[in-house]
Amino acid sequence: MASTSASSSSAIAPAATTHSFARYKANNIVEDGDLVVLYLSKENVILIRVDVNETFNCKFGSYRHADMIGLEYGTKLGSNTGRGFLYLLFPTPELWTLILPHRTQILYVADISFIMNFLNLKPGMSMIESGTGSGSFSHSIARTLAPTGHLYSFEYHQERVNAATKEFEDHGLSDMITLRRRDVCKDGFDLVDRVDAVFLDLPAPWEAVASAKRAFKKNKIGKICTFSPCIEQISKTVTALSEHKFVDIQMYECLIRFQEVRILPILTIEEAMEKERIHESKRQRALPRVLRDSYLKATAKANEDEELPPAKHMKIEKGQEEENSNKDNDDTNKKDQSLSGTPAEFEASGKTVTITKLPVEQRGHTSYLLFATLPPSVDSLPVVTLE
Ligand SMILES: C[S@@+](CC[C@H](N)C(=O)[O-])C[C@H]1O[C@@H](n2cnc3c(N)ncnc32)[C@H](O)[C@@H]1O
């Protein structure tokens, strides 16, 4: 029997599909040939195409695709060994942004949602984006413009064009996205009187402003947004926009700070000490043998001296630190063995405290967002003669 492993999220065989990243399924049921996001933990999220003959293998055990068929998206599925579980999620642009193969810097959800709101994007609209990059923004735009709108995406790097073309096909988006290889700063967009909005994520967006202006529908209000990390780029783009008679030019810096909400049990002193003992032994087991002896010596000495906490005495090489923190995260997929109850049982007992916590990695601000509006051309407006 064929099998897929937990390590890859990019190689998906294309299939005729009834749904896509831009179209939800009415019945919400996983069927043979569907795309499904397998969510094992925050660090372990994988896109698969369900194939009745395949099996998905990971450290928790095996999951036959056949067992996924007929289940609702959102189902929590246990492995054959009973050692772990995963969730079957519907493929959304937000999940794709989390797991896509990075070929370039990408846009994240904070900027994506802000841009789409300020460009006033709606189903049925036509839009230009350049460059396509890793296709993170493209997936979200496609869903917003669906089912009748269209995205014209331009990218001058051949390999990125090839990779994005394949992804758009695999994800059921190719009827909504026209992707062209083109240097838009040198050769323009080659579209006239066609789109409602333009988004430029380019090193020199000001060089594409004149051509973007020609692409806007003449009888409608057009909206443009550019995304630039440096204020000097913004300054040049503002000059170009105002020379080309764009109005309402505004700049925003977008920040996001996600706070995880956790409900924790209130522990007795004995339970807290037991939990700490278990964590400490996990920490020691996670250390490479060569560091473990010096760690134990340092711990013993620190306990004697009651001085600095043991971790300050030891040096952990880069990479090992990461490996250990991944291990801790993976443990969240299991029930905490140190507690005599599940979080839900503790919650029901009322002996809980709710905390918020910043995740280790924050993805939010990357650049400045510049917006401007192009009024309809006076010649294109209908003339009304009053009697
Ligand atoms: C930062 S990436 C875009 C990322 C994309 N917004 C995403 O969310 O995945 C910028 C892309 O613009 C492309 N690019 C740069 N200058 C270009 C030009 N003059 N014409 C077309 N593409 C260009 C680069 O090759 C790169 O792939």
Side-chain angles (χ1 to χ4, degrees):
M1 184 178 288
S3 71
T4 47
S5 79
S7 56
S8 138
S9 63
S10 55
I12 302 290
T17 165
T18 53
H19 73 293
S20 76
F21 276 78
R23 295 177 189 88
Y24 287 104
K25 288 186 82 168
N27 67 5
N28 201 35
I29 299 290
V30 177
E31 288 164 280
D32 195 16
D34 277 356
L35 292 169
V36 178
V37 174
L38 304 181
Y39 189 102
L40 288 87
S41 71
K42 244 186 306 177
E43 287 72 30
N44 211 346
V45 185
I46 289 135
L47 179 69
I48 62 157
R49 186 177 295 286
V50 174
D51 176 339
V52 71
N53 299 314
E54 288 242 17
T55 299
F56 171 75
N57 296 307
C58 66
K59 64 181 171 188
F60 300 135
S62 300
Y63 299 83
R64 290 178 337 126
H65 289 205
D67 295 335
M68 300 176 191
I69 294 171
L71 297 177
E72 262 192 78
Y73 280 100
T75 299
K76 180 174 167 180
L77 187 62
S79 71
N80 62 334
T81 60
R83 276 195 284 126
F85 58 83
L86 49 73
Y87 292 93
L88 306 176
L89 301 184
F90 191 86
T92 62
E94 291 78 13
L95 286 170
W96 183 242
T97 290
L98 278 184
I99 61 177
L100 58 78
H102 284 226
R103 301 179 284 271
T104 60
Q105 295 269 9
I106 65 163
L107 289 197
Y108 291 99
V109 156
D111 292 309
I112 292 174
S113 47
F114 193 85
I115 296 165
M116 293 208 294
N117 193 24
F118 271 63
L119 287 179
N120 210 3
L121 295 183
K122 297 188 189 74
M125 283 185 164
S126 297
M127 174 167 184
I128 283 174
E129 75 158 345
S130 186
T132 316
S134 306
S136 170
F137 193 45
S138 327
H139 278 68
S140 286
I141 306 174
R143 182 181 57 188
T144 300
L145 306 184
T148 50
H150 204 83
L151 171 65
Y152 299 91
S153 191
F154 295 85
E155 168 63 56
Y156 70 8
H157 190 286
Q158 185 64 62
E159 280 167 27
R160 290 177 196 156
V161 172
N162 297 345
T165 303
K166 181 166 184 328
E167 278 166 6
F168 295 158
E169 268 168 30
D170 294 351
H171 299 172
L173 300 176
S174 41
D175 56 338
M176 298 199 50
I177 305 179
T178 304
L179 172 53
R180 292 195 200 144
R181 184 185 180 203
R182 202 171 172 86
D183 182 339
V184 298
C185 294
K186 211 161 118 258
D187 304 321
F189 296 103
D190 195 24
L191 291 172
V192 178
D193 196 9
R194 192 75 70 88
V195 300
D196 303 278
V198 172
F199 173 68
L200 304 176
D201 184 358
L202 298 167
W206 57 92
E207 292 180 0
V209 166
S211 173
K213 185 178 176 179
R214 283 192 289 280
F216 278 111
K217 290 177 183 164
K218 290 202 182 340
N219 62 349
K220 294 249 172 87
I221 291 175
K223 297 268 185 189
I224 191 167
C225 173
T226 72
F227 180 91
S228 303
C230 306
I231 204 74
E232 292 78 7
Q233 291 165 301
I234 294 290
S235 170
K236 288 184 181 173
T237 314
V238 168
T239 305
L241 288 169
S242 89
E243 276 171 12
H244 286 91
K245 308 281 184 270
F246 282 80
V247 297
D248 197 17
I249 301 173
Q250 296 176 29
M251 191 196 74
Y252 296 87
E253 184 181 12
C254 191
L255 293 166
I256 188 166
R257 269 164 72 87
F258 173 71
Q259 297 268 348
E260 251 175 350
V261 178
R262 288 200 188 167
I263 297 170
L264 301 176
I266 297 172
L267 304 178
T268 62
I269 290 176
E270 290 75 24
E271 282 170 334
M273 285 172 71
E274 175 62 3
K275 195 169 154 69
E276 180 50 30
R277 192 190 62 71
I278 290 170
H279 274 300
E280 176 58 17
S281 99
K282 270 190 199 164
R283 237 189 327 259
Q284 287 177 19
R285 279 202 311 270
L287 283 173
R289 185 175 291 279
V290 56
L291 286 175
R292 201 175 303 160
D293 289 346
S294 56
Y295 176 79
L296 290 176
K297 269 189 214 142
T299 311
K301 181 156 184 346
N303 285 344
E304 260 173 36
D305 298 350
E306 288 190 339
E307 276 179 354
L308 287 173
K312 296 253 168 76
H313 290 291
M314 50 173 283
K315 182 169 169 271
I316 296 181
E317 306 281 313
K318 203 172 177 316
Q320 282 157 352
E321 224 174 355
E322 218 167 72
E323 196 182 302
N324 296 338
S325 75
N326 277 346
K327 187 176 180 312
D328 286 344
N329 283 331
D330 287 343
D331 286 344
T332 57
N333 203 351
K334 298 174 198 151
K335 186 177 146 190
D336 191 335
Q337 300 297 319
S338 68
L339 301 173
S340 52
T342 64
E345 282 161 5
F346 274 103
E347 203 178 347
S349 78
K351 287 192 282 179
T352 59
V353 58
T354 304
I355 61 152
T356 61
K357 190 170 173 287
L358 283 174
V360 183
E361 192 185 0
Q362 285 281 334
R363 289 170 179 161
H365 161 91
T366 35
S367 287
Y368 299 110
L369 295 170
L370 184 65
F371 291 89
T373 302
L374 184 68
S377 119
V378 177
D379 303 340
S380 72
L381 294 176
V383 178
V384 179
T385 315
L386 296 175
E387 305 256 316

